Amino acid sequence: MKNQKRIRDYGVEIGTLKTGELNAITDVAGVTVGQVTLSGGNMQTGVTAIKPHQGDLFHEKLIASSHVINGFGKTMGTIQLAELGVLETPIVLTNTLNVGTAANAVIEYMLEKNEDIGRTTGTVNPIVGECNDMFLNDVRGRFVKEEHVRRALDETGEEFEEGAVGAGRGMLCYSLKGGIGSASRMIELTNARYTIGVLVLSNFGMLSDLTVGGKPIGKKLKIQILQSLEEQDKGSVMIVVATDLPVSERQLNRILKRSVTGLSRTGSIITNGSGEIVLGFSTANKIPHNKPSQALTIETIHEEDIDEAFRAVGEATEEAVLNSLITAEAVVGRDGNSRPALKELIEKFNLTL
């Protein structure tokens, strides 16, 4: 998006399902994304914010879930998310040591919009995800401030940049420059069309494992470039899944679990030191914060229709990871550390994806 050349522009088509209009998480109606990028010298980091809908999210909560593929991470808010199965704040992604700052900013944002929080009703559960960008970013500097998070929340839209932007500024993927990537898929069930959108913060993998559309591109690049680019996989990936498919929290959790198929098709083996966390929500049913006078009626699909959603989330996750790689630019950061961009390497070595 934003006039960037994405993986499909290189002739790589992932899967068989149709994409949404933008081929992004924002193809799910009401979902918007905002980002703030902090770049300069040892500072290579930022914030990415996802708004699930444009109304009062605290009083009109969404069915939500989370799934831990490998739990080497510091995500905030997932205990209550798993217990209650609802989302009541925007989702914010940033670097590991700025999780607290991001949470403070989300809390302040919600308090400003909801005077009843902490007075006539309970408190609020901010959802913050992270990856460690310490190779390119001086993570000890904790450069992300509350005003950066607030700006990301206030300036969301349907179109957004991918690659080395927002929370993805300092992230690595398959020993190359990674970051923010997105994709979507359309599915048709019982004469109705639904969308599943994915946004990833990619910071995982080893170069020799990288697979693009079934081709061992990482092995080919490994032959061409220095061995020093290959490092032990100690990164992470945050996967955010949005859908307008009417599902229960249990069904949504089943869908989130299948995102790992997309990661695996890009070459990930889910290593010990890499944290893979999936967050997801459905916009189909709004859950009122205040107790209604009658029992809630929640629309859900039949279990026999869920396989198409499994396929869709895997395809969208795979393409989102590849988009995060192919749109990223090379970055020089902390202490002169650097990582090359995939798009520059395939041109330099005349590789066809």
Side-chain angles (χ1 to χ4, degrees), residues 214-232:
K215 295 181 180 180
I217 297 299
K219 290 181 179 179
K220 294 179 180 179
L221 286 173
K222 185 66 177 172
I223 295 172
Q224 301 288 346
I225 59 182
L226 297 176
Q227 290 284 340
S228 59
L229 272 183
E230 185 86 38
E231 291 191 330
Q232 187 176 357

Side-chain angles (χ1 to χ4, degrees), residues 56 131 191 262 329:
D56 182 350
C131 289
N191 299 318
E329 63 188 47

Side-chain angles (χ1 to χ4, degrees), residues 7 11-15 210-217 265-267 318-319 322 353:
I7 198 66
V12 179
E13 294 195 9
I14 302 300
L210 174 61
T211 303
V212 179
K215 295 181 180 180
I217 297 299
R265 286 195 293 266
T266 68
E318 179 181 1
E319 186 159 351
L322 296 178
L353 296 182

Side-chain angles (χ1 to χ4, degrees), residues 67-73 75 78 237-239 275-279:
H67 173 61
V68 178
I69 301 171
N70 188 51
F72 207 118
T75 307
T78 53
V237 61
M238 291 295 310
I239 304 170
E276 283 82 12
I277 312 296
V278 194
L279 306 172

Side-chain angles (χ1 to χ4, degrees), residues 13 40 69 98-99 106 113 118 143 164 183 205 224 235 242 245 258 265 271 273 303 318 340:
E13 294 195 9
I69 301 171
N98 273 128
V99 168
V106 173
K113 294 181 176 298
F143 300 113
Q224 301 288 346
L245 187 68
R258 270 62 179 190
R265 286 195 293 266
T271 63
E303 221 69 23
E318 179 181 1

Side-chain angles (χ1 to χ4, degrees), residues 176-187:
L176 307 175
K177 189 66 196 71
I180 296 295
S182 193
S184 69
R185 291 295 185 272
M186 310 290 291
I187 59 176

Side-chain angles (χ1 to χ4, degrees), residues 84-101:
L84 301 185
V86 292
L87 178 68
E88 60 186 19
T89 74
I91 297 170
V92 170
L93 307 177
T94 189
N95 72 71
T96 305
L97 295 190
N98 273 128
V99 168
T101 302

Side-chain angles (χ1 to χ4, degrees), residues 39 41 44 136 164 168-170 177 328-333 336-341:
S39 177
Q44 305 292 337
L136 293 176
R169 179 62 189 177
K177 189 66 196 71
E329 63 188 47
V331 171
V332 179
N337 291 341
S338 65
R339 276 296 180 264

